[in-house]
Amino acid sequence: MNPLPDIRLETARPALDSRPLEKRVGLIALATDHTSEVDFRRMVASERIGVYVARIPYANPTTPDNLRKMQPSLSAGAALILPDEALDAICYSCTSASVVIGDAEIEQAIHAAKPGVPVVTPPKAGVRGLNAFGVKRISILTPYTVETSRPMAAYFAAHGFDIQSFTCLGFEDDREMARITPASLVELARNVTHPQADALFVSCTALRAALAVPGMEEAIGRPVVTSNQASAWNCLRLCGDETPRPEFGRLWTKPLAQ
């Protein structure tokens, strides 16, 4: 082996930015999730905005009881995202669990680890997305069973929406939900949107529905709001990014609505 060189310590300190990236978005994903992280890296991450991910335990089937079991992991998951550093937004990426656990309870659990950070849940982002269009009459499509869909219907009804139709697909495994093709979702949108509905909400962060939004909107001639599309839009708006990006659907031309 050749002789090792002397190692010299440079005494001049290099300049430091206040942050490696200007904005930080945290994402809490399920251990089984194939889609949320990919969608957030495609729609949110940039040279200005970083997406930082933690995964928490989850086991199928997708039932209300199994979804509730994630609640104790939320604080620990949030704490793993850039410990002791502030975030500009954090998203818990599970629509059905957010409905079953409750937005306020999720916010409380995340704030135990990340005080004061704006918390985004997919159903809350969905409500904000629908409100951005000023619509009240909606259709809803989920990949879940009837049992898991019932709390979703109650959530949107409680937020003042008139649900003209609600269709579920009967899937119990979120890994299978992720395999539903975007083209199938376009055809489903065409078939399940009620004639009197002013918009369609497509639930589930496992679905590759964000990819299908332009096709769905073309098929039904109305706005389409999906879990990941709305969550990403909500997080970007919280980061001060108002750039219209119609390639992700009509929602991405809108400002944030409460």
Side-chain angles (χ1 to χ4, degrees), residues 49-258:
I49 301 174
V51 174
Y52 305 93
V53 184
R55 288 179 175 255
I56 61 174
Y58 176 70
N60 283 290
T62 300
T63 64
D65 284 344
N66 279 348
L67 293 165
R68 285 189 193 93
K69 290 177 182 177
M70 283 187 279
Q71 185 173 357
S73 301
L74 288 171
S75 296
L80 289 172
I81 302 175
L82 302 180
D84 302 319
E85 296 190 71
L87 301 174
D88 297 285
I90 187 167
C91 176
Y92 169 46
S93 194
C94 187
T95 323
S96 51
S98 297
V99 164
V100 169
I101 296 169
D103 289 328
E105 289 77 10
I106 289 167
E107 185 171 294
Q108 182 180 17
I110 290 174
H111 281 170
K114 293 288 188 183
V117 63
V119 175
V120 174
T121 68
K124 183 189 294 185
V127 167
R128 288 171 175 164
L130 293 166
N131 285 342
F133 291 105
V135 300
K136 288 300 178 186
R137 296 178 300 180
I138 63 172
S139 287
I140 297 177
L141 171 65
T142 83
Y144 318 128
T145 62
V146 171
E147 177 192 21
T148 304
S149 294
R150 285 194 186 103
M152 189 71 59
Y155 180 95
F156 280 89
H159 281 81
F161 293 98
D162 182 357
I163 303 172
Q164 299 288 303
S165 64
F166 193 119
T167 305
C168 66
L169 304 179
F171 283 78
E172 293 186 325
D173 191 317
D174 69 328
R175 297 164 297 183
E176 285 191 335
M177 298 174 198
R179 292 166 53 196
I180 299 172
T181 66
S184 296
L185 294 173
V186 172
E187 192 58 32
L188 280 163
R190 191 192 315 274
N191 294 336
V192 307
T193 304
H194 192 278
Q196 298 303 314
D198 298 314
L200 172 66
F201 177 69
V202 183
S203 178
C204 191
T205 57
L207 290 180
R208 290 175 288 159
L211 292 169
V213 169
M216 289 191 284
E217 290 188 329
E218 183 177 358
I220 69 173
R222 280 158 278 186
V224 174
V225 175
T226 79
S227 292
N228 287 352
Q229 172 227 31
S231 296
W233 164 80
N234 197 158
C235 288
L236 271 184
R237 295 298 185 257
L238 288 171
C239 288
D241 189 329
E242 300 287 340
T243 307
R245 297 172 72 183
E247 66 270 26
F248 296 139
R250 300 183 194 182
L251 177 60
W252 280 61
T253 67
K254 300 286 188 180
L256 184 63
Q258 295 302 315

